[in-house]
Structures are given as structure tokens and as C-alpha cells.
């Protein structure tokens, strides 16, 4: 399963749902994070809507969400890879710049 970059709100929702400590409906502050998790297939709920608002009732964690928590228990985001093709030339160029500056200062004496 691919590791996702989750916000703190998403992490809190997943942890609360896995421990059955979440509310019976999704609070207004958590709707955006909940919908992101629902899009990824980690959570589900019953949708109740009228003309003015939409409410998400009986939120629960899905088997995919439980599998994600089992695979990534600390919920840390994916690591950023170092782009070596830019890092190595930059270090070499910086070293040459320092060498040139020292050489220039040494010749000025």
C-alpha cells in the first residue's frame, strides 16, 4: 500500500476511529480531512443532506484504513528522496567557489 501524506487532522481522525473514540457524527471542523480520508478509502459514513447542509453520520474506519494503520502505525508521511543529480554538482561548485576565494585572498597578500 502506498504511503500517504496526511495532515494532523487526518491522523487524529484515523486514530480516534480505530479506537472507537470518535463522535457519532463528523464535526464541521473535521469535514475536509474526513472527506480526504474517505476519498482514499480509509473511512466511510452515512451521508444525510438537506438543502442547506450535509452531515456525515456514523463514521467508521474501513478494512483498508485498518490495513493502512497496521502497515504504517506511526502515520509518518513518505520520506523525501534526495535528488543526487543536483546535490553533487552543487557541492562541487560550492567547493570550487571556496577554493577560488581562498586562492584570491592568498594572492592579494
Amino acid at each position: 500500500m502506498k504511503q500517504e501524506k496526511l495532515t494532523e487532522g487526518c491522523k487524529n481522525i484515523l486514530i480516534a476511529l480505530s479506537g472507537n473514540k470518535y463522535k457519532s457524527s463528523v464535526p464541521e471542523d473535521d469535514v475536509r480531512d474526513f472527506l480526504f480520508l474517505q476519498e482514499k478509502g480509509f473511512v466511510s459514513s452515512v451521508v444525510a443532506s438537506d438543502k442547506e447542509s450535509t452531515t456525515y453520520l456514523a463514521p467508521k474506519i474501513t478494512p483498508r484504513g485498518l490495513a493502512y494503520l497496521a502497515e504504517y502505525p506511526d502515520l509518518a508521511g513518505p520520506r523525501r528522496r534526495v535528488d543526487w543529480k543536483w546535490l553533487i554538482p552543487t557541492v562541487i561548485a560550492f567547493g570550487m567557489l571556496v577554493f577560488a576565494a581562498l586562492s584570491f585572498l592568498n594572492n592579494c597578500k
Side-chain angles (χ1 to χ4, degrees):
M1 184 177 301
K2 182 181 146 193
Q3 194 171 12
E4 301 289 339
K5 184 172 175 91
L6 302 175
T7 64
E8 285 300 315
C10 290
K11 292 175 187 178
N12 292 337
I13 291 171
L14 277 178
I15 292 168
L17 285 173
S18 69
N20 294 327
K21 297 177 183 173
Y22 200 72
K23 300 173 177 75
S24 61
S25 66
V26 179
E28 194 71 31
D29 297 340
D30 290 350
V31 169
R32 185 179 202 154
D33 292 326
F34 188 83
L35 290 176
F36 176 78
L37 291 171
Q38 191 172 20
E39 181 182 305
K40 297 295 180 185
F42 296 153
V43 297
S44 66
S45 69
V46 176
V47 179
S49 63
D50 57 9
K51 293 180 182 179
E52 297 174 6
S53 65
T54 303
T55 307
Y56 300 92
L57 303 171
K60 63 181 179 178
I61 192 165
T62 62
R64 179 178 166 88
L66 289 172
Y68 185 82
L69 279 175
E71 191 168 343
Y72 306 107
D74 58 351
L75 294 176
R79 290 190 202 155
R80 292 183 51 165
R81 291 182 48 204
V82 175
D83 193 2
W84 293 103
K85 73 177 182 182
W86 296 109
L87 182 67
I88 293 172
T90 303
V91 169
I92 291 171
F94 183 72
M96 291 172 58
L97 181 66
V98 169
F99 179 75
L102 291 174
S103 177
F104 178 75
L105 291 174
N106 198 18
N107 286 336
C108 288
K109 289 183 180 179

